[in-house]
Short mmCIF file of all heavy atoms in Angstrom, two decimals:
data_model
loop_
_atom_site.label_atom_id
_atom_site.label_comp_id
_atom_site.label_asym_id
_atom_site.label_seq_id
_atom_site.Cartn_x
_atom_site.Cartn_y
_atom_site.Cartn_z
N MET P 728 4.45 14.75 -8.21
CA MET P 728 5.52 13.80 -8.46
C MET P 728 5.25 12.53 -7.66
O MET P 728 4.92 12.57 -6.49
CB MET P 728 6.85 14.42 -8.05
CG MET P 728 8.02 13.55 -8.29
SD MET P 728 9.52 14.46 -7.85
CE MET P 728 10.68 13.56 -8.80
N LYS P 729 5.37 11.41 -8.33
CA LYS P 729 5.09 10.13 -7.71
C LYS P 729 6.37 9.56 -7.09
O LYS P 729 7.41 9.54 -7.73
CB LYS P 729 4.56 9.18 -8.78
CG LYS P 729 4.10 7.85 -8.27
CD LYS P 729 3.48 7.09 -9.43
CE LYS P 729 3.04 5.74 -9.02
NZ LYS P 729 2.48 5.01 -10.14
N PHE P 730 6.28 9.14 -5.83
CA PHE P 730 7.43 8.57 -5.14
C PHE P 730 7.25 7.07 -5.01
O PHE P 730 6.40 6.61 -4.28
CB PHE P 730 7.58 9.20 -3.76
CG PHE P 730 7.93 10.65 -3.81
CD1 PHE P 730 6.96 11.60 -3.63
CD2 PHE P 730 9.22 11.06 -4.07
CE1 PHE P 730 7.27 12.95 -3.71
CE2 PHE P 730 9.55 12.40 -4.15
CZ PHE P 730 8.56 13.34 -3.96
N SER P 731 8.02 6.34 -5.75
CA SER P 731 7.96 4.89 -5.70
C SER P 731 8.87 4.39 -4.59
O SER P 731 9.93 4.95 -4.33
CB SER P 731 8.40 4.30 -7.03
OG SER P 731 8.54 2.91 -6.94
N ALA P 732 8.47 3.30 -3.95
CA ALA P 732 9.31 2.70 -2.92
C ALA P 732 10.62 2.22 -3.51
O ALA P 732 11.67 2.29 -2.86
CB ALA P 732 8.57 1.53 -2.26
N VAL P 733 10.60 1.75 -4.74
CA VAL P 733 11.82 1.27 -5.39
C VAL P 733 12.75 2.44 -5.66
O VAL P 733 13.95 2.33 -5.49
CB VAL P 733 11.47 0.53 -6.69
CG1 VAL P 733 12.73 0.14 -7.45
CG2 VAL P 733 10.66 -0.72 -6.38
N ARG P 734 12.20 3.59 -6.03
CA ARG P 734 13.03 4.77 -6.28
C ARG P 734 13.62 5.32 -5.00
O ARG P 734 14.57 6.06 -5.02
CB ARG P 734 12.20 5.85 -6.98
CG ARG P 734 12.03 5.56 -8.44
CD ARG P 734 11.36 6.74 -9.11
NE ARG P 734 10.27 6.22 -9.89
CZ ARG P 734 9.02 6.64 -9.84
NH1 ARG P 734 8.69 7.63 -9.07
NH2 ARG P 734 8.10 6.09 -10.59
N GLN P 735 13.06 4.96 -3.87
CA GLN P 735 13.58 5.41 -2.58
C GLN P 735 14.53 4.36 -1.99
O GLN P 735 14.56 4.14 -0.81
CB GLN P 735 12.44 5.69 -1.62
CG GLN P 735 11.56 6.84 -2.04
CD GLN P 735 10.41 7.05 -1.09
OE1 GLN P 735 10.27 6.35 -0.09
NE2 GLN P 735 9.56 7.99 -1.40
N HIS P 736 15.26 3.70 -2.84
CA HIS P 736 16.25 2.70 -2.44
C HIS P 736 15.62 1.58 -1.62
O HIS P 736 16.19 1.11 -0.64
CB HIS P 736 17.39 3.35 -1.66
CG HIS P 736 18.01 4.49 -2.39
ND1 HIS P 736 18.78 4.32 -3.50
CD2 HIS P 736 17.94 5.82 -2.19
CE1 HIS P 736 19.18 5.51 -3.95
NE2 HIS P 736 18.68 6.43 -3.18
N LYS P 737 14.42 1.18 -2.03
CA LYS P 737 13.68 0.08 -1.41
C LYS P 737 13.46 0.30 0.08
O LYS P 737 13.41 -0.62 0.87
CB LYS P 737 14.38 -1.26 -1.66
CG LYS P 737 14.43 -1.60 -3.13
CD LYS P 737 14.89 -3.00 -3.37
CE LYS P 737 14.89 -3.25 -4.88
NZ LYS P 737 15.14 -4.59 -5.22
N LYS P 738 13.35 1.55 0.46
CA LYS P 738 13.08 1.89 1.85
C LYS P 738 11.61 2.29 1.97
O LYS P 738 11.16 3.21 1.29
CB LYS P 738 13.96 3.05 2.30
CG LYS P 738 13.71 3.47 3.73
CD LYS P 738 14.59 4.64 4.09
CE LYS P 738 14.26 5.10 5.50
NZ LYS P 738 14.93 6.35 5.81
N ILE P 739 10.87 1.59 2.78
CA ILE P 739 9.46 1.89 2.99
C ILE P 739 9.37 2.91 4.13
O ILE P 739 9.84 2.65 5.23
CB ILE P 739 8.66 0.62 3.35
CG1 ILE P 739 8.88 -0.46 2.28
CG2 ILE P 739 7.20 0.94 3.51
CD1 ILE P 739 8.42 -0.08 0.90
N ASN P 740 8.74 4.04 3.88
CA ASN P 740 8.68 5.07 4.91
C ASN P 740 7.56 4.78 5.90
O ASN P 740 6.68 3.96 5.65
CB ASN P 740 8.59 6.46 4.29
CG ASN P 740 7.30 6.69 3.55
OD1 ASN P 740 6.30 6.04 3.78
ND2 ASN P 740 7.31 7.65 2.66
N PRO P 741 7.58 5.43 7.05
CA PRO P 741 6.56 5.17 8.10
C PRO P 741 5.13 5.43 7.64
O PRO P 741 4.21 4.72 8.08
CB PRO P 741 6.95 6.12 9.22
CG PRO P 741 8.39 6.42 9.00
CD PRO P 741 8.60 6.34 7.51
N ASN P 742 4.92 6.41 6.77
CA ASN P 742 3.57 6.67 6.29
C ASN P 742 3.03 5.49 5.48
O ASN P 742 1.87 5.12 5.59
CB ASN P 742 3.52 7.94 5.44
CG ASN P 742 3.77 9.18 6.26
OD1 ASN P 742 3.49 9.20 7.45
ND2 ASN P 742 4.30 10.19 5.62
N CYS P 743 3.89 4.90 4.68
CA CYS P 743 3.50 3.74 3.89
C CYS P 743 3.19 2.56 4.81
O CYS P 743 2.21 1.85 4.60
CB CYS P 743 4.61 3.39 2.91
SG CYS P 743 4.19 2.04 1.79
N GLU P 744 4.01 2.36 5.82
CA GLU P 744 3.77 1.27 6.77
C GLU P 744 2.44 1.47 7.50
O GLU P 744 1.70 0.51 7.71
CB GLU P 744 4.91 1.19 7.77
CG GLU P 744 6.20 0.69 7.17
CD GLU P 744 7.33 0.67 8.18
OE1 GLU P 744 7.10 0.99 9.36
OE2 GLU P 744 8.44 0.32 7.77
N LYS P 745 2.13 2.71 7.84
CA LYS P 745 0.88 3.01 8.53
C LYS P 745 -0.32 2.71 7.62
O LYS P 745 -1.30 2.10 8.06
CB LYS P 745 0.87 4.48 8.94
CG LYS P 745 -0.32 4.90 9.74
CD LYS P 745 -0.14 6.34 10.19
CE LYS P 745 -1.46 7.05 10.14
NZ LYS P 745 -1.36 8.46 10.39
N LEU P 746 -0.22 3.09 6.35
CA LEU P 746 -1.29 2.79 5.40
C LEU P 746 -1.46 1.28 5.23
O LEU P 746 -2.58 0.79 5.13
CB LEU P 746 -1.01 3.43 4.04
CG LEU P 746 -1.35 4.90 3.90
CD1 LEU P 746 -0.87 5.43 2.56
CD2 LEU P 746 -2.83 5.13 4.06
N PHE P 747 -0.34 0.54 5.21
CA PHE P 747 -0.41 -0.91 5.09
C PHE P 747 -1.09 -1.54 6.30
O PHE P 747 -1.90 -2.46 6.15
CB PHE P 747 0.98 -1.53 4.90
CG PHE P 747 1.25 -1.90 3.49
CD1 PHE P 747 2.04 -1.10 2.70
CD2 PHE P 747 0.70 -3.03 2.94
CE1 PHE P 747 2.29 -1.42 1.39
CE2 PHE P 747 0.94 -3.37 1.63
CZ PHE P 747 1.73 -2.56 0.85
N GLN P 748 -0.77 -1.05 7.48
CA GLN P 748 -1.41 -1.59 8.68
C GLN P 748 -2.92 -1.34 8.64
O GLN P 748 -3.71 -2.23 8.97
CB GLN P 748 -0.80 -0.96 9.94
CG GLN P 748 0.63 -1.38 10.19
CD GLN P 748 0.77 -2.89 10.32
OE1 GLN P 748 -0.05 -3.55 10.92
NE2 GLN P 748 1.83 -3.41 9.72
N GLU P 749 -3.31 -0.15 8.21
CA GLU P 749 -4.73 0.17 8.10
C GLU P 749 -5.39 -0.71 7.04
O GLU P 749 -6.49 -1.23 7.24
CB GLU P 749 -4.90 1.64 7.74
CG GLU P 749 -6.33 2.10 7.69
CD GLU P 749 -6.47 3.57 7.38
OE1 GLU P 749 -5.45 4.29 7.36
OE2 GLU P 749 -7.62 3.99 7.15
N TYR P 750 -4.71 -0.91 5.91
CA TYR P 750 -5.22 -1.75 4.83
C TYR P 750 -5.44 -3.19 5.31
O TYR P 750 -6.51 -3.76 5.11
CB TYR P 750 -4.23 -1.71 3.66
CG TYR P 750 -4.49 -2.72 2.58
CD1 TYR P 750 -5.57 -2.59 1.73
CD2 TYR P 750 -3.63 -3.80 2.40
CE1 TYR P 750 -5.80 -3.51 0.73
CE2 TYR P 750 -3.85 -4.72 1.39
CZ TYR P 750 -4.95 -4.58 0.56
OH TYR P 750 -5.17 -5.50 -0.42
N LEU P 751 -4.45 -3.76 5.97
CA LEU P 751 -4.56 -5.14 6.44
C LEU P 751 -5.63 -5.28 7.52
O LEU P 751 -6.35 -6.28 7.57
CB LEU P 751 -3.20 -5.63 6.95
CG LEU P 751 -2.12 -5.75 5.86
CD1 LEU P 751 -0.78 -6.10 6.50
CD2 LEU P 751 -2.51 -6.77 4.81
N GLU P 752 -5.76 -4.28 8.38
CA GLU P 752 -6.79 -4.31 9.43
C GLU P 752 -8.19 -4.26 8.81
O GLU P 752 -9.09 -4.99 9.24
CB GLU P 752 -6.59 -3.14 10.40
CG GLU P 752 -7.60 -3.10 11.52
CD GLU P 752 -7.50 -4.29 12.47
OE1 GLU P 752 -6.45 -4.94 12.54
OE2 GLU P 752 -8.51 -4.56 13.14
N LEU P 753 -8.38 -3.42 7.80
CA LEU P 753 -9.68 -3.35 7.14
C LEU P 753 -10.02 -4.65 6.45
O LEU P 753 -11.18 -5.09 6.46
CB LEU P 753 -9.69 -2.19 6.13
CG LEU P 753 -9.75 -0.80 6.75
CD1 LEU P 753 -9.52 0.26 5.68
CD2 LEU P 753 -11.06 -0.57 7.46
N LEU P 754 -9.03 -5.30 5.84
CA LEU P 754 -9.28 -6.61 5.23
C LEU P 754 -9.67 -7.64 6.29
O LEU P 754 -10.58 -8.44 6.08
CB LEU P 754 -8.05 -7.09 4.47
CG LEU P 754 -7.78 -6.45 3.12
CD1 LEU P 754 -6.51 -7.03 2.52
CD2 LEU P 754 -8.95 -6.65 2.18
N ARG P 755 -8.99 -7.60 7.43
CA ARG P 755 -9.26 -8.56 8.50
C ARG P 755 -10.67 -8.38 9.05
O ARG P 755 -11.37 -9.35 9.31
CB ARG P 755 -8.24 -8.39 9.62
CG ARG P 755 -8.32 -9.46 10.71
CD ARG P 755 -7.34 -9.18 11.82
NE ARG P 755 -7.71 -8.02 12.61
CZ ARG P 755 -8.67 -8.01 13.55
NH1 ARG P 755 -9.34 -9.09 13.80
NH2 ARG P 755 -8.92 -6.91 14.22
N VAL P 756 -11.09 -7.14 9.21
CA VAL P 756 -12.41 -6.84 9.76
C VAL P 756 -13.51 -7.13 8.74
O VAL P 756 -14.63 -7.46 9.11
CB VAL P 756 -12.47 -5.37 10.24
CG1 VAL P 756 -13.86 -4.98 10.67
CG2 VAL P 756 -11.49 -5.15 11.37
N GLY P 757 -13.21 -6.99 7.46
CA GLY P 757 -14.19 -7.30 6.43
C GLY P 757 -14.70 -6.10 5.67
O GLY P 757 -15.73 -6.17 5.01
N HIS P 758 -14.01 -4.98 5.74
CA HIS P 758 -14.40 -3.78 4.99
C HIS P 758 -13.64 -3.73 3.68
O HIS P 758 -12.70 -2.96 3.51
CB HIS P 758 -14.11 -2.52 5.81
CG HIS P 758 -14.90 -2.43 7.07
ND1 HIS P 758 -16.24 -2.14 7.07
CD2 HIS P 758 -14.54 -2.60 8.36
CE1 HIS P 758 -16.68 -2.13 8.32
NE2 HIS P 758 -15.67 -2.41 9.12
N GLU P 759 -14.08 -4.57 2.72
CA GLU P 759 -13.35 -4.69 1.46
C GLU P 759 -13.38 -3.40 0.64
O GLU P 759 -12.40 -3.06 -0.02
CB GLU P 759 -13.90 -5.85 0.62
CG GLU P 759 -13.55 -7.21 1.17
CD GLU P 759 -14.53 -7.68 2.23
OE1 GLU P 759 -15.62 -7.06 2.36
OE2 GLU P 759 -14.20 -8.64 2.95
N ALA P 760 -14.50 -2.70 0.65
CA ALA P 760 -14.60 -1.47 -0.15
C ALA P 760 -13.62 -0.41 0.35
O ALA P 760 -12.92 0.22 -0.43
CB ALA P 760 -16.02 -0.93 -0.11
N ARG P 761 -13.56 -0.22 1.65
CA ARG P 761 -12.63 0.76 2.23
C ARG P 761 -11.18 0.31 2.01
O ARG P 761 -10.29 1.12 1.73
CB ARG P 761 -12.92 0.94 3.72
CG ARG P 761 -12.00 1.88 4.42
CD ARG P 761 -12.30 3.33 4.07
NE ARG P 761 -11.42 4.18 4.86
CZ ARG P 761 -10.69 5.15 4.34
NH1 ARG P 761 -10.78 5.42 3.07
NH2 ARG P 761 -9.91 5.87 5.09
N ALA P 762 -10.93 -1.00 2.12
CA ALA P 762 -9.59 -1.54 1.90
C ALA P 762 -9.15 -1.31 0.45
O ALA P 762 -7.98 -1.00 0.20
CB ALA P 762 -9.54 -3.02 2.24
N ALA P 763 -10.08 -1.44 -0.49
CA ALA P 763 -9.74 -1.19 -1.90
C ALA P 763 -9.34 0.26 -2.11
O ALA P 763 -8.43 0.56 -2.89
CB ALA P 763 -10.92 -1.57 -2.79
N THR P 764 -10.01 1.17 -1.41
CA THR P 764 -9.67 2.59 -1.51
C THR P 764 -8.26 2.84 -0.98
O THR P 764 -7.46 3.56 -1.60
CB THR P 764 -10.68 3.45 -0.73
OG1 THR P 764 -11.98 3.18 -1.23
CG2 THR P 764 -10.37 4.92 -0.83
N ILE P 765 -7.95 2.24 0.16
CA ILE P 765 -6.60 2.38 0.74
C ILE P 765 -5.56 1.77 -0.19
O ILE P 765 -4.48 2.34 -0.38
CB ILE P 765 -6.54 1.71 2.14
CG1 ILE P 765 -7.51 2.38 3.10
CG2 ILE P 765 -5.12 1.72 2.69
CD1 ILE P 765 -7.13 3.76 3.53
N ARG P 766 -5.88 0.63 -0.81
CA ARG P 766 -4.96 -0.03 -1.72
C ARG P 766 -4.65 0.88 -2.92
O ARG P 766 -3.49 1.02 -3.31
CB ARG P 766 -5.53 -1.36 -2.20
CG ARG P 766 -4.58 -2.13 -3.09
CD ARG P 766 -5.17 -3.47 -3.48
NE ARG P 766 -4.22 -4.22 -4.24
CZ ARG P 766 -3.28 -5.00 -3.73
NH1 ARG P 766 -3.18 -5.14 -2.43
NH2 ARG P 766 -2.44 -5.63 -4.51
N ARG P 767 -5.69 1.52 -3.48
CA ARG P 767 -5.46 2.44 -4.60
C ARG P 767 -4.61 3.62 -4.17
O ARG P 767 -3.74 4.08 -4.90
CB ARG P 767 -6.80 2.92 -5.17
CG ARG P 767 -7.47 1.90 -6.07
CD ARG P 767 -8.61 2.50 -6.85
NE ARG P 767 -9.60 3.16 -6.02
CZ ARG P 767 -10.65 2.56 -5.46
NH1 ARG P 767 -10.84 1.28 -5.65
NH2 ARG P 767 -11.51 3.25 -4.72
N ARG P 768 -4.84 4.11 -2.97
CA ARG P 768 -4.06 5.23 -2.46
C ARG P 768 -2.59 4.84 -2.32
O ARG P 768 -1.69 5.60 -2.69
CB ARG P 768 -4.61 5.68 -1.11
CG ARG P 768 -3.91 6.90 -0.56
CD ARG P 768 -4.51 7.35 0.74
NE ARG P 768 -5.92 7.67 0.57
CZ ARG P 768 -6.80 7.67 1.58
NH1 ARG P 768 -6.43 7.36 2.79
NH2 ARG P 768 -8.06 7.98 1.35
N ILE P 769 -2.33 3.63 -1.81
CA ILE P 769 -0.95 3.15 -1.67
C ILE P 769 -0.30 3.04 -3.05
O ILE P 769 0.84 3.44 -3.24
CB ILE P 769 -0.92 1.80 -0.92
CG1 ILE P 769 -1.34 1.99 0.54
CG2 ILE P 769 0.46 1.18 -1.00
CD1 ILE P 769 -1.57 0.69 1.28
N GLN P 770 -1.03 2.46 -4.01
CA GLN P 770 -0.48 2.31 -5.36
C GLN P 770 -0.19 3.65 -6.00
O GLN P 770 0.83 3.81 -6.67
CB GLN P 770 -1.43 1.51 -6.23
CG GLN P 770 -1.46 0.05 -5.89
CD GLN P 770 -2.45 -0.72 -6.74
OE1 GLN P 770 -3.31 -0.14 -7.38
NE2 GLN P 770 -2.34 -2.04 -6.71
N ASN P 771 -1.07 4.62 -5.81
CA ASN P 771 -0.86 5.94 -6.40
C ASN P 771 0.33 6.65 -5.78
O ASN P 771 1.08 7.33 -6.47
CB ASN P 771 -2.11 6.81 -6.25
CG ASN P 771 -3.21 6.37 -7.17
OD1 ASN P 771 -2.98 5.73 -8.18
ND2 ASN P 771 -4.43 6.70 -6.81
N ARG P 772 0.51 6.51 -4.49
CA ARG P 772 1.59 7.23 -3.81
C ARG P 772 2.94 6.53 -3.92
O ARG P 772 3.97 7.19 -4.06
CB ARG P 772 1.26 7.39 -2.32
CG ARG P 772 0.14 8.36 -2.08
CD ARG P 772 -0.09 8.53 -0.60
NE ARG P 772 -1.23 9.40 -0.37
CZ ARG P 772 -1.72 9.66 0.83
NH1 ARG P 772 -1.18 9.12 1.90
NH2 ARG P 772 -2.76 10.45 0.96
N TYR P 773 2.95 5.21 -3.81
CA TYR P 773 4.23 4.49 -3.68
C TYR P 773 4.51 3.49 -4.80
O TYR P 773 5.59 2.93 -4.85
CB TYR P 773 4.27 3.74 -2.34
CG TYR P 773 4.06 4.67 -1.17
CD1 TYR P 773 2.86 4.69 -0.48
CD2 TYR P 773 5.06 5.55 -0.77
CE1 TYR P 773 2.66 5.56 0.58
CE2 TYR P 773 4.87 6.42 0.30
CZ TYR P 773 3.67 6.42 0.96
OH TYR P 773 3.47 7.28 2.00
N GLY P 774 3.56 3.25 -5.69
CA GLY P 774 3.78 2.33 -6.79
C GLY P 774 3.35 0.92 -6.44
O GLY P 774 3.17 0.56 -5.28
N LYS P 775 3.17 0.10 -7.47
CA LYS P 775 2.70 -1.27 -7.27
C LYS P 775 3.77 -2.17 -6.66
O LYS P 775 3.47 -3.18 -6.05
CB LYS P 775 2.23 -1.87 -8.60
CG LYS P 775 0.96 -1.22 -9.11
CD LYS P 775 0.48 -1.89 -10.36
CE LYS P 775 -0.80 -1.24 -10.85
NZ LYS P 775 -1.34 -1.90 -12.01
N GLU P 776 5.04 -1.79 -6.84
CA GLU P 776 6.15 -2.63 -6.35
C GLU P 776 6.14 -2.76 -4.84
O GLU P 776 6.68 -3.69 -4.27
CB GLU P 776 7.50 -2.06 -6.79
CG GLU P 776 7.63 -1.79 -8.26
CD GLU P 776 7.16 -0.39 -8.65
OE1 GLU P 776 6.98 0.47 -7.77
OE2 GLU P 776 6.96 -0.18 -9.85
N VAL P 777 5.52 -1.79 -4.16
CA VAL P 777 5.55 -1.75 -2.71
C VAL P 777 4.83 -2.96 -2.11
O VAL P 777 5.20 -3.44 -1.04
CB VAL P 777 4.97 -0.42 -2.19
CG1 VAL P 777 3.48 -0.37 -2.31
CG2 VAL P 777 5.39 -0.15 -0.77
N PHE P 778 3.84 -3.51 -2.80
CA PHE P 778 3.14 -4.68 -2.28
C PHE P 778 4.05 -5.90 -2.25
O PHE P 778 4.00 -6.70 -1.33
CB PHE P 778 1.88 -4.96 -3.10
CG PHE P 778 0.79 -3.95 -2.85
CD1 PHE P 778 0.62 -2.88 -3.68
CD2 PHE P 778 -0.03 -4.08 -1.75
CE1 PHE P 778 -0.37 -1.94 -3.44
CE2 PHE P 778 -1.02 -3.14 -1.49
CZ PHE P 778 -1.18 -2.08 -2.34
N GLU P 779 4.91 -6.02 -3.26
CA GLU P 779 5.88 -7.11 -3.27
C GLU P 779 6.90 -6.94 -2.15
O GLU P 779 7.28 -7.90 -1.49
CB GLU P 779 6.59 -7.16 -4.62
CG GLU P 779 5.68 -7.50 -5.77
CD GLU P 779 6.37 -7.35 -7.11
OE1 GLU P 779 7.61 -7.21 -7.14
OE2 GLU P 779 5.66 -7.36 -8.12
N LEU P 780 7.33 -5.69 -1.93
CA LEU P 780 8.32 -5.43 -0.88
C LEU P 780 7.75 -5.70 0.51
O LEU P 780 8.46 -6.15 1.40
CB LEU P 780 8.80 -3.97 -0.96
CG LEU P 780 9.59 -3.60 -2.21
CD1 LEU P 780 9.84 -2.10 -2.24
CD2 LEU P 780 10.89 -4.37 -2.27
N MET P 781 6.46 -5.44 0.70
CA MET P 781 5.83 -5.64 2.01
C MET P 781 5.34 -7.08 2.17
O MET P 781 4.90 -7.46 3.23
CB MET P 781 4.66 -4.68 2.18
CG MET P 781 5.08 -3.22 2.26
SD MET P 781 6.06 -2.82 3.69
CE MET P 781 4.80 -2.69 4.93
N GLY P 782 5.38 -7.88 1.11
CA GLY P 782 4.99 -9.28 1.22
C GLY P 782 3.49 -9.49 1.12
O GLY P 782 2.97 -10.51 1.57
N VAL P 783 2.76 -8.55 0.53
CA VAL P 783 1.32 -8.67 0.37
C VAL P 783 1.06 -9.08 -1.08
O VAL P 783 1.53 -8.43 -2.00
CB VAL P 783 0.60 -7.34 0.66
CG1 VAL P 783 -0.89 -7.45 0.42
CG2 VAL P 783 0.88 -6.92 2.10
N PRO P 784 0.32 -10.18 -1.30
CA PRO P 784 0.07 -10.61 -2.67
C PRO P 784 -0.78 -9.60 -3.44
O PRO P 784 -1.63 -8.92 -2.86
CB PRO P 784 -0.68 -11.93 -2.50
CG PRO P 784 -1.24 -11.89 -1.13
CD PRO P 784 -0.31 -11.03 -0.31
N ASP P 785 -0.55 -9.52 -4.73
CA ASP P 785 -1.31 -8.61 -5.58
C ASP P 785 -2.67 -9.21 -5.86
O ASP P 785 -2.78 -10.36 -6.28
CB ASP P 785 -0.55 -8.38 -6.89
CG ASP P 785 -1.09 -7.22 -7.69
OD1 ASP P 785 -1.87 -6.43 -7.12
OD2 ASP P 785 -0.74 -7.12 -8.87
N GLU P 786 -3.74 -8.45 -5.63
CA GLU P 786 -5.11 -8.95 -5.79
C GLU P 786 -5.68 -8.67 -7.16
O GLU P 786 -6.73 -9.18 -7.51
CB GLU P 786 -6.02 -8.30 -4.74
CG GLU P 786 -5.67 -8.71 -3.34
CD GLU P 786 -6.55 -8.00 -2.32
OE1 GLU P 786 -7.32 -7.10 -2.71
OE2 GLU P 786 -6.48 -8.37 -1.15
N GLU P 787 -5.03 -7.84 -7.96
CA GLU P 787 -5.57 -7.47 -9.26
C GLU P 787 -5.36 -8.59 -10.25
O GLU P 787 -4.34 -9.25 -10.26
CB GLU P 787 -4.92 -6.20 -9.77
CG GLU P 787 -5.23 -5.00 -8.91
CD GLU P 787 -4.58 -3.74 -9.44
OE1 GLU P 787 -3.90 -3.82 -10.48
OE2 GLU P 787 -4.74 -2.70 -8.80
N ASP P 788 -6.36 -8.80 -11.11
CA ASP P 788 -6.27 -9.86 -12.12
C ASP P 788 -5.84 -9.31 -13.46
O ASP P 788 -6.08 -8.23 -13.81
CB ASP P 788 -7.62 -10.55 -12.28
CG ASP P 788 -7.99 -11.31 -11.02
OD1 ASP P 788 -7.08 -11.79 -10.32
OD2 ASP P 788 -9.18 -11.43 -10.77
#
């Protein structure tokens, strides 16, 4: 079952925040391939809406 951040009353849980911190750190350091993997994991677990809620622009074209 997929848990979307929007379905959770727009509440981002600590696990999602931790994944976002790791994602942003990997982007900052320059590990784009690993960051893309983390991004897909976040999208699969929490939905695409979570990037808008966290203020991270969507990179997909």
Side-chain angles (χ1 to χ4, degrees):
M728 181 177 202
K729 186 175 178 181
F730 293 100
S731 171
V733 175
R734 282 187 229 128
Q735 294 177 2
H736 307 289
K737 298 190 179 188
K738 179 181 176 189
I739 305 299
N740 67 22
N742 292 333
C743 184
E744 290 178 3
K745 184 175 142 187
L746 279 174
F747 258 102
Q748 292 302 320
E749 184 178 351
Y750 170 71
L751 294 174
E752 181 65 22
L753 287 170
L754 284 179
R755 187 183 69 78
V756 174
H758 296 287
E759 288 85 14
R761 178 74 176 129
T764 303
I765 298 289
R766 184 177 184 86
R767 281 193 306 272
R768 184 178 301 157
I769 292 170
Q770 287 178 345
N771 287 338
R772 290 183 183 175
Y773 303 105
K775 291 184 179 183
E776 307 88 14
V777 75
F778 288 97
E779 295 172 12
L780 294 173
M781 293 295 280
V783 177
D785 193 14
E786 294 178 352
E787 295 180 1
D788 294 329

